[in-house]
Amino acid sequence: MEVFVTGFEPWGEEDYNPSGEVAKRLDGQVIGSARVRGLVLPVSYKRAKEILINAIDAHRPRIILGVGLAPNTTCIRVERVAINVMDGGPDVDDYKPVDEPIDPNGPAAYFATIPIRRIVEKLKENGIPAVISNSAGTFLCNFVMYCALHHVALKNYDTRVGFIHVPYTSQQSARKQKTFMGMLPPSMPLELIEKGIRIAVEEIIGELEHKHEH
Ligand code: PCA
């Protein structure tokens, strides 16, 4: 089976995006019975959607795991839900939607179709701080998660979709000038972020294969 791991390019004030780095690192890797295709998306509503949907139709992945950077977040956040709202920007094409629906005919929200609680537990067992998050925001990360869930629903594809927010890398935090309460922002080594995403993919595959056996 094929697994998409998507990440993002840098945008705005962020000159480095760990999510895109992880997608690049995992591209071509084999995890269990799956081969990973890493996609690095631009932080552009229009272009990210086109690239993502074309890739889904071309490759019909069994799993799509989106990854994005959440600046100033303290740990890995496994997202529960994507909402039909665009309310953040500007993106890199200078588009700044306010309270716009992603699809006026789409449902208000979709739940992730990956085992979010099992992933969080597994990450913590491996010493990686992680929580379930009940909001992926209203910018590109929520958008990509919604677009993927909406597209596979419309096309009736048998594809699991989820999204994970990651913190700054340690090196990225060490480069920051601005301090928050006199400190640098929370961070995680890139290797640990990558390991966390691998574990999430393993859990999703594990659940699918377990389902198959019964
Ligand atoms: N994080 C942003 C968009 C791109 C990224 O990596 C977000 O959380 O929406």
Side-chain angles (χ1 to χ4, degrees):
M1 69 172 100
E2 184 156 323
V3 176
F4 278 8
V5 174
T6 74
F8 287 102
E9 292 173 358
W11 87 101
E13 287 177 9
E14 306 298 347
D15 58 1
Y16 175 88
N17 196 324
S19 69
E21 294 306 316
V22 166
K24 278 188 240 166
R25 282 181 169 217
L26 292 181
D27 183 51
Q29 286 196 33
V30 173
I31 303 180
S33 58
R35 181 170 292 275
V36 177
R37 183 180 299 270
L39 294 177
V40 183
L41 303 172
V43 182
S44 152
Y45 288 101
K46 188 167 178 286
R47 290 184 287 133
K49 182 178 177 180
E50 267 172 27
I51 295 168
L52 178 68
I53 281 174
N54 289 338
I56 295 173
D57 287 339
H59 301 289
R60 298 286 301 272
R62 186 78 175 83
I63 296 166
I64 303 169
L65 184 60
V67 185
L69 166 65
N72 301 311
T73 205
T74 61
C75 64
I76 285 188
R77 282 166 34 199
V78 181
E79 299 297 341
R80 191 194 299 270
V81 61
I83 60 176
N84 190 3
V85 175
M86 295 187 283
D87 187 48
D91 69 7
V92 294
D93 298 334
D94 230 15
Y95 181 48
K96 192 179 184 317
V98 176
D99 296 341
E100 269 184 50
I102 294 170
D103 179 346
N105 301 312
Y110 286 98
F111 287 121
T113 50
I114 60 171
I116 54 170
R117 194 167 295 276
R118 277 181 48 180
I119 292 168
V120 165
E121 291 311 316
K122 199 65 174 203
L123 289 171
K124 292 197 290 185
E125 277 168 28
N126 280 272
I128 303 175
V131 293
I132 291 176
S133 162
N134 296 313
S135 172
T138 51
F139 190 38
L140 256 290
C141 292
N142 172 73
F143 177 76
V144 158
M145 184 181 173
Y146 187 94
C147 286
L149 283 159
H150 192 39
H151 189 67
V152 304
L154 291 177
K155 294 265 176 136
N156 255 312
Y157 290 161
D158 191 12
T159 304
R160 298 304 181 93
V161 180
F163 198 95
I164 293 184
H165 266 118
V166 300
Y168 287 133
T169 65
S170 304
Q171 292 192 359
Q172 191 173 11
S173 174
R175 283 196 307 271
K176 291 279 172 191
Q177 298 291 332
K178 282 183 205 156
T179 58
F180 172 69
M181 306 250 304
M183 293 176 279
L184 291 171
S187 63
M188 211 182 258
L190 181 62
E191 290 65 34
L192 203 59
I193 295 175
E194 180 186 353
K195 184 178 172 193
I197 300 304
R198 281 187 73 94
I199 289 170
V201 171
E202 281 165 11
E203 277 304 299
I204 303 165
I205 294 169
E207 196 209 34
L208 285 176
E209 289 180 341
H210 186 70
K211 284 236 164 87
H212 246 250
E213 284 163 21
H214 296 281

